[in-house]
Amino acid sequence: MLLLLLGIIFLHLAALVLLFVSTIVSVWTTGESTTSDLWINCTTSGCIPASTGEWIQSVQAVMILSIIFSCLSLFLFFCQLFTLQKGGRFFLTGTFQILASLFVMSGAIIYTVMSPEWVPEGNSFGYSYILAWVAFPLALISGLIYVILRKRE
């Protein structure tokens, strides 16, 4: 049981780190002389704030919500680990983690659909964008494991 708990915690922390990195690092799209992310667009001549369009603000919001819900889920897991009765399930923890995965998926989908209007020709998606897509299944799997998991002594 201890190995299972350590594996679940590791999976959750891996998803959380990926969420932090994908939200903070400035490489959602990259080109020969430019990089851009949710917050700032950089070229060789300097950096400017990201556009103020509603779609980029919604991506920013759902990525931040995914981090908040994933952190709350980890906190709730540790609280429930010590307070939940034997045989109880981690429904609340799993729900928060599944919501975090849905938020990151929503943000990545919105960015995928709307970025051709904003990103210059010749640029491609960067590693932060890919990390966001990798964080989605990790968070979803850990959330489903939390829902299925029962507490044992």
Side-chain angles (χ1 to χ4, degrees):
M1 184 67 176
L2 182 62
L3 282 173
L4 179 65
L5 288 176
L6 289 175
I8 291 169
I9 292 169
F10 177 75
L11 182 65
H12 192 127
L13 288 175
L16 190 58
V17 166
L18 289 177
L19 287 173
F20 269 111
V21 170
S22 67
T23 304
I24 295 170
V25 176
S26 179
V27 191
W28 274 64
T29 56
T30 184
E32 290 182 23
S33 62
T34 63
T35 61
S36 58
D37 71 342
L38 307 177
W39 312 103
I40 198 164
N41 299 331
C42 293
T43 61
T44 52
S45 61
C47 295
I48 58 170
S51 82
T52 57
E54 293 89 11
W55 72 270
I56 194 73
Q57 290 176 353
S58 65
V59 174
Q60 291 169 348
V62 294
M63 290 302 291
I64 290 172
L65 280 173
S66 70
I67 291 172
I68 291 170
F69 272 71
S70 190
C71 288
L72 284 174
S73 175
L74 188 62
F75 177 74
L76 286 171
F77 174 68
F78 285 121
C79 288
Q80 286 183 324
L81 192 60
F82 296 111
T83 60
L84 199 63
Q85 295 178 1
K86 181 181 175 184
R89 291 185 185 248
F90 297 91
F91 283 123
L92 191 59
T93 300
T95 302
F96 273 63
Q97 189 67 359
I98 290 170
L99 283 173
S101 73
L102 293 176
F103 284 138
V104 72
M105 180 194 68
S106 299
I109 286 173
I110 294 168
Y111 193 86
T112 303
V113 171
M114 298 302 289
S115 65
E117 298 175 3
W118 181 54
V119 177
E121 287 289 322
N123 283 11
S124 59
F125 292 114
Y127 70 87
S128 295
Y129 171 80
I130 295 168
L131 290 179
W133 275 114
V134 171
F136 161 63
L138 289 179
L140 183 63
I141 289 168
S142 67
L144 293 174
I145 289 173
Y146 283 134
V147 170
I148 295 169
L149 185 68
R150 286 183 182 269
K151 183 177 179 184
R152 294 186 183 172
E153 291 216 26

